[in-house]
Amino acid sequence: MENSSSSIQALVSRIKERVTHLINGNNSNNYIGVQSFVSPSAYDTAWLAMVADPRQPGKPMFKACLDWVLDNQNPSGFWGETDREGFPTIDSLPATLACMIALKTWNLGHQHIQKGMAFISANAAIILKGYGNFPRWFSIIFPGMIELAKKAGMEVAFLHEIDQINDIFDERSKILQREQIIDKYEHPPLLSYLEALPSWYCSFDEESIISSLNADGPVFQSPSAAAHAFIATRHGRCLAYLQTVVQTCKSGAVPPMYPVDEDFIKICTVDQLQRLGLSGYFNEEIKQLLEQVYRNYKNQQPTKLNIVPANLFRDSLAFRLLRMQGYHVSPWRFCWFLSDGTALAHINNNLQKFSSVLYSIYRATDLMFQGEVELQDARLLSRKLLKEYLTLGSTDDDILMWPNLRNMIEYELDTPWMARMDHLDHRKWIEESKVSSLYLGKASFYRLSFLCSTDLMQLAEEHFQFLQSTYKRELEELTRWSKALGLIDMGFAREKTAYCYFASASSIPSSYNCDVRLIVAKSATLITVADDFFDMEGVLDELKYLTTAVQRWDGRGLIGHSKIIFNALDNFVRDIAMKYLAQQGSDITYNLQQLWYEAFDSWLKEATWSKTGHIPSMASYLEEGMISIAVHVLVLQAACFVEPSLPASELNSSKRAMITKYLMISARLLNDLQSYKKEERDGKKNSILLYLEENPDAKIEESIAYVESILDQTKKKLLEHALMDGLDGMSNACKQLHLSILKAFEMFFNSANHFDSSTAMLDAIKKAIYIPPEDRASKPLKPIA
């Protein structure tokens, strides 16, 4: 354990240093920190290597780029990205051609060229065979590089794939006929492919090239297009742009786009740290990064004049991260497309190109507050279109290529975020991130290399396994506690010790101390046993005696199961009160006793209704039901041990916060929706059945819809209170605990009553506590600088 902790701290220190460079990336002397998060583009580097020095035309202007090309040919003969097994991706074909052209330009690297030719001859058919429909960018770039290679005197032999090559050239013709030179729905637009466009399509003279420049050089931040523009025009702004790129990327390798979108890198970094379960180590860094992103996010107006897919992907992800951090952000920053008929038509007609965008939009809508109709519309539409996308075959996404994108879309659609445990989400993302996604540049794939770095992935795995060892030890402690107090061997009660601990550990942030997890798990175990006793085992007189004993907090005279339950409860409350006294200096024994009495009194009232045949009104039932579910007992006790802790006064029912009330209502209705059939068989009533009592003409579907509507609105209110400041007096840590407990209830009662099943959660428990993440590692990438 000590060695593991030491290794984790060393990894955290190294990663903090990298992230600090990203935070300080706006400083001119440290811009390399931002740039180093992007993997290099062999294709763009090759184009800069082709540029001749105007003062010495026989020499390359950017020798470092040429040297990089010479030094970075894969042993197999190609340049470019690899897939998860280390095999070349489709971008290796145009990248290899571009690198060979660069070497041919300077009459260097003859062996490199021969190896590149041999690679293409031997592997082109295999690589091309994996694609039914070739990506748009490839259909533009690859023909252009074939033509340029022939112009440079290199005869590239395509012996077995001539039909596919012809198809690619035909597809290019269709693209050039179909698209405008600047098209906001294509990412990137044709203009950014300046160097690869055929002369017959449009011949750019010096004036037209200059007109495409902006303050940073060529539009769409393309180093390869800028290199071509400078070769054609020798324009000073192109030269200044290229010099800036090379000076920034001191290794000689350049990125596929420059300047890179700093906010995009920052939000992707935050997203990766959080989804890997590592945010607890980087709270301050995440806070600073999102502060920087928010400044830009609120100052920029949503625009439809830029590139639609990239903007929607970035802005929807930024919305999710900023809202989770408590920022006030408007959904219209990315939901504008809902009212744009042209955008909607384009998305509907190009689902494959927008799959990652729709995935990002759908995830953003998880954080929907009450009254946000635009988010509801965006959720319904993105869910519908993602389902349609899953029925399609090949993929041609305009933002990223990710072998497991389909898996993650299915994962998102299958179980809502609110019903998924964070700990298991982290495991899933660790496994998926080992197969790192490739973001589309212009002419190649690239990775945000930091997101799949060796250090980051090692930290994620070590942290997860460290938590597993911690959780295993705590579960063993909880089991011993439950057995010692006689709770496991009651005979009639559901034995849910493992379920209770799993829900606690997997939903509550790992940065919270073990007292929080164990108090929630112990409370849930006690509540389950006591609730079953009132529901199934105890006779009415016995239940009254037990409730009176809890009210007096005096167990003398109790026997049998009542005595075991009271003694366990007394032991538990004493333990909590002593811990709180030691930490906070005040005695909360009476507050805790009253909290538990409230639950017991509610259980007694419901048992009396059931055993006497009384049918309460819906209002009376909900008033008691939100107490009898007892979720307030476990969350408020545990909240006393977060930092900063819940004030003791807020344990009193008269001072109960709205977020606690929303949690109580939500938990009760979640339980009712999945247990009404069983309770009807047992002669009991819940909200579903009482609605039918009060509305005799209604059907069961109407009753379910009515309760689901109340639940939906209540959960949205709770989510807003959990994320936004100023709505409750609680600390963020206490509010986050409320959200975690709601997610645990959602998990147990999503689509079925998993809590009552003896087997439904066993696989999840194994993955959470016992089985390490699967190893599906891809090769780490070197950063540019």
Side-chain angles (χ1 to χ4, degrees):
M1 186 74 72
E2 186 175 337
N3 289 338
S4 175
S5 177
S6 175
S7 173
I8 286 173
Q9 289 307 314
L11 289 165
V12 168
S13 297
R14 291 203 294 270
I15 294 168
K16 277 181 177 285
E17 184 177 353
R18 291 287 312 279
V19 177
T20 299
H21 287 316
L22 181 59
I23 294 169
N24 298 327
N26 290 325
N27 300 331
S28 57
N29 63 344
N30 198 35
Y31 193 81
I32 189 170
V34 177
Q35 208 62 42
S36 68
F37 277 64
V38 182
S39 64
S41 165
Y43 176 86
D44 288 270
T45 303
W47 268 100
L48 268 71
M50 297 179 206
V51 177
D53 190 334
R55 296 164 299 181
Q56 304 178 70
K59 293 185 178 180
M61 185 164 197
F62 304 113
K63 186 175 182 298
C65 295
L66 183 61
D67 289 342
W68 187 92
V69 171
L70 284 166
D71 294 339
N72 284 273
Q73 185 177 30
N74 186 281
S76 299
F78 68 90
W79 287 265
E81 288 287 359
T82 58
D83 64 15
R84 54 183 165 179
E85 282 86 22
F87 296 120
T89 62
I90 196 171
D91 91 302
S92 64
L93 296 177
T96 298
L97 287 172
C99 288
M100 293 192 302
I101 294 167
L103 296 176
K104 180 75 172 179
T105 300
W106 306 111
N107 197 29
L108 292 172
H110 301 296
Q111 290 185 344
H112 294 70
I113 294 174
Q114 288 178 1
K115 286 181 67 176
M117 287 287 199
F119 166 79
I120 290 175
S121 178
N123 296 284
I126 299 171
I127 294 173
L128 295 175
K129 187 178 180 181
Y131 287 81
N133 298 313
F134 293 102
R136 167 182 172 271
W137 63 269
F138 182 79
S139 298
I140 299 171
I141 290 291
F142 189 44
M145 292 305 97
I146 292 174
E147 291 168 340
L148 191 60
K150 289 181 178 179
K151 188 176 179 180
M154 292 188 293
E155 288 297 326
V156 184
F158 295 103
L159 302 178
H160 306 293
E161 54 279 339
I162 189 64
D163 289 341
Q164 288 176 302
I165 299 298
N166 289 336
D167 288 343
I168 296 169
F169 272 81
D170 289 343
E171 180 60 26
R172 179 180 70 169
S173 298
K174 293 176 183 177
I175 291 171
L176 299 181
Q177 292 170 13
R178 181 175 65 240
E179 296 180 14
Q180 301 177 23
I181 191 69
I182 300 179
D183 189 332
K184 64 182 179 181
Y185 296 110
E186 298 295 346
H187 176 70
L190 283 176
L191 182 60
S192 65
Y193 293 95
L194 190 64
E195 78 287 352
L197 297 178
S199 57
W200 58 262
Y201 172 67
C202 61
S203 180
F204 284 101
D205 55 23
E206 181 174 348
E207 183 179 346
S208 61
I209 290 176
I210 291 173
S211 69
S212 74
L213 302 178
N214 59 23
D216 295 321
V219 290
F220 307 115
Q221 296 81 46
S222 170
S224 51
H228 175 80
F230 178 69
I231 292 171
T233 66
R234 300 294 174 182
H235 195 276
R237 274 164 60 191
C238 292
L239 176 59
Y241 169 84
L242 294 173
Q243 288 173 330
T244 300
V245 175
V246 173
Q247 288 168 6
T248 301
C249 307
K250 301 183 185 300
S251 67
V254 304
M257 289 182 170
Y258 184 92
V260 296
D261 186 337
E262 289 189 43
D263 282 348
F264 179 71
I265 291 177
K266 288 171 183 176
I267 61 177
C268 286
T269 299
V270 171
D271 186 52
Q272 185 76 337
L273 290 173
Q274 291 182 344
R275 296 183 79 175
L276 289 172
L278 302 176
S279 56
Y281 296 114
F282 303 98
N283 282 325
E284 186 57 35
E285 289 79 8
I286 288 173
K287 178 182 176 182
Q288 292 182 53
L289 287 170
L290 290 181
E291 282 176 353
Q292 294 175 355
V293 170
Y294 180 65
R295 283 198 294 269
N296 293 332
Y297 193 86
K298 70 176 181 178
N299 292 331
Q300 294 174 0
Q301 294 299 316
T303 175
K304 293 176 277 183
L305 300 177
N306 211 323
I307 307 306
V308 170
N311 284 352
L312 285 176
F313 184 89
R314 181 191 62 235
D315 291 345
S316 56
L317 179 55
F319 170 85
R320 180 185 175 92
L321 297 175
L322 290 170
R323 176 160 281 192
M324 282 294 290
Q325 197 75 5
Y327 287 97
H328 292 272
V329 285
S330 170
W332 278 111
R333 182 55 186 270
F334 69 92
C335 286
W336 61 262
F337 75 96
L338 293 169
S339 58
D340 187 311
T342 305
L344 283 174
H346 192 83
I347 293 172
N348 273 282
N349 294 330
N350 297 273
L351 290 183
Q352 291 169 306
K353 291 183 177 181
F354 281 83
S355 55
S356 62
V357 173
L358 292 168
Y359 171 71
S360 182
I361 289 172
Y362 185 76
R363 292 185 67 237
T365 65
D366 287 333
L367 306 182
M368 191 189 315
F369 298 160
Q370 187 182 25
E372 291 185 323
V373 178
E374 64 275 31
L375 278 181
Q376 182 65 37
D377 291 343
R379 186 170 186 83
L380 292 173
L381 179 63
S382 58
R383 183 176 181 86
K384 170 180 171 290
L385 295 180
L386 286 170
K387 285 185 174 181
E388 291 181 20
Y389 162 76
L390 292 175
T391 67
L392 303 176
S394 59
T395 59
D396 183 14
D397 194 278
D398 264 1
I399 300 297
L400 59 84
M401 185 191 81
W402 184 19
N404 295 333
L405 178 59
R406 273 177 183 274
N407 293 342
M408 290 308 299
I409 290 174
E410 290 172 347
Y411 184 69
E412 290 287 339
L413 297 182
D414 181 59
T415 307
W417 166 76
M418 190 68 84
R420 299 200 309 264
M421 297 294 88
D422 289 351
H423 182 56
L424 290 179
D425 266 4
H426 298 155
R427 176 196 176 97
K428 177 76 172 176
W429 195 246
I430 289 169
E431 293 173 344
E432 300 298 341
S433 290
K434 292 177 182 179
V435 186
S436 53
S437 55
L438 298 169
Y439 293 83
L440 292 188
K442 184 199 74 178
S444 62
F445 294 122
Y446 70 96
R447 287 184 176 97
L448 298 182
S449 53
F450 169 74
L451 303 189
C452 54
S453 69
T454 302
D455 279 352
L456 189 63
M457 294 312 302
Q458 183 181 344
L459 174 60
E461 291 199 58
E462 289 192 14
H463 172 69
F464 190 88
Q465 292 183 37
F466 175 79
L467 289 180
Q468 284 187 312
S469 64
T470 300
Y471 295 164
K472 182 180 178 182
R473 186 175 65 253
E474 289 177 2
L475 177 54
E476 290 170 351
E477 176 186 336
L478 177 66
T479 303
R480 287 195 298 271
W481 171 86
S482 185
K483 191 172 183 63
L485 293 175
L487 298 177
I488 285 182
D489 303 317
M490 296 289 276
F492 63 86
R494 293 165 291 176
E495 205 299 283
K496 296 296 178 182
T497 306
Y499 275 34
C500 293
Y501 180 77
F502 159 71
S504 172
S506 295
S507 64
I508 295 172
S510 61
S511 56
Y512 289 19
N513 64 55
C514 67
D515 285 338
V516 176
R517 292 190 295 272
L518 288 172
I519 287 171
V520 169
K522 289 178 179 180
S523 298
T525 302
L526 269 169
I527 289 167
T528 301
V529 172
D531 183 55
D532 285 353
F533 182 61
F534 275 78
D535 273 353
M536 299 184 297
E537 184 70 10
V539 297
L540 200 53
D541 286 344
E542 191 177 14
L543 301 180
K544 289 177 180 178
Y545 293 146
L546 174 57
T547 303
T548 302
V550 173
Q551 183 182 24
R552 298 193 319 264
W553 212 263
D554 183 351
R556 287 176 294 182
L558 293 175
I559 60 174
H561 293 132
S562 294
K563 182 176 182 179
I564 293 173
I565 291 171
F566 182 84
N567 287 344
L569 181 60
D570 182 51
N571 175 282
F572 181 47
V573 166
R574 286 174 184 274
D575 184 54
I576 295 176
M578 288 176 60
K579 280 187 170 72
Y580 191 85
L581 180 63
Q583 294 179 17
Q584 304 295 334
S586 58
D587 187 357
I588 60 171
T589 302
Y590 178 75
N591 307 75
L592 296 176
Q593 290 172 351
Q594 288 301 109
L595 197 63
W596 278 99
Y597 169 65
E598 185 181 23
F600 273 77
D601 186 54
S602 179
W603 290 331
L604 176 61
K605 187 170 292 186
E606 289 189 349
T608 302
W609 289 346
S610 176
K611 295 178 188 299
T612 62
H614 175 72
I615 300 177
S617 68
M618 173 74 94
S620 296
Y621 169 79
L622 288 178
E623 184 178 352
E624 289 302 325
M626 63 186 286
I627 298 172
S628 66
I629 197 69
V631 67
H632 64 298
V633 176
L634 59 88
V635 74
L636 293 177
Q637 288 182 132
C640 293
F641 295 89
V642 302
E643 292 291 340
S645 70
L646 182 78
S649 60
E650 293 192 27
L651 291 171
N652 300 333
S653 60
S654 61
K655 296 185 178 181
R656 195 153 291 156
M658 287 306 301
I659 190 172
T660 306
K661 293 178 181 178
Y662 293 145
L663 176 61
M664 295 163 70
I665 295 169
S666 297
R668 166 47 63 200
L669 296 183
L670 280 165
N671 183 287
D672 284 2
L673 282 165
Q674 299 303 333
S675 61
Y676 73 90
K677 291 181 180 179
K678 177 180 181 296
E679 294 192 344
E680 186 176 30
R681 290 194 300 268
D682 294 343
K684 301 174 184 176
K685 299 294 182 182
N686 72 12
S687 57
I688 305 291
L689 303 173
L690 288 172
Y691 181 88
L692 295 176
E693 291 279 353
E694 296 182 359
N695 298 273
D697 295 332
K699 297 180 180 179
I700 188 66
E701 292 80 9
E702 295 174 78
S703 180
I704 292 172
Y706 173 76
V707 172
E708 285 180 337
S709 176
I710 298 174
L711 174 61
D712 181 63
Q713 295 305 311
T714 306
K715 288 192 299 183
K716 288 174 181 175
K717 292 175 186 176
L718 186 151
L719 183 63
E720 185 171 7
H721 278 248
L723 299 182
M724 298 292 110
D725 291 333
L727 299 179
D728 274 302
M730 284 187 179
S731 68
N732 288 334
C734 289
K735 294 192 295 183
Q736 177 60 53
L737 182 61
H738 280 70
L739 180 57
S740 297
I741 300 303
L742 174 61
K743 284 170 67 73
F745 268 81
E746 280 274 0
M747 179 263 300
F748 279 132
F749 299 106
N750 174 55
S751 73
N753 186 342
H754 299 302
F755 188 75
D756 283 352
S757 168
S758 60
T759 58
M761 306 310 302
L762 295 183
D763 185 59
I765 291 172
K766 290 176 184 176
K767 288 183 176 180
I769 301 176
Y770 300 104
I771 304 173
E774 293 180 14
D775 186 11
R776 300 202 307 256
S778 60
K779 294 186 176 181
L781 295 173
K782 296 179 181 178
I784 289 178

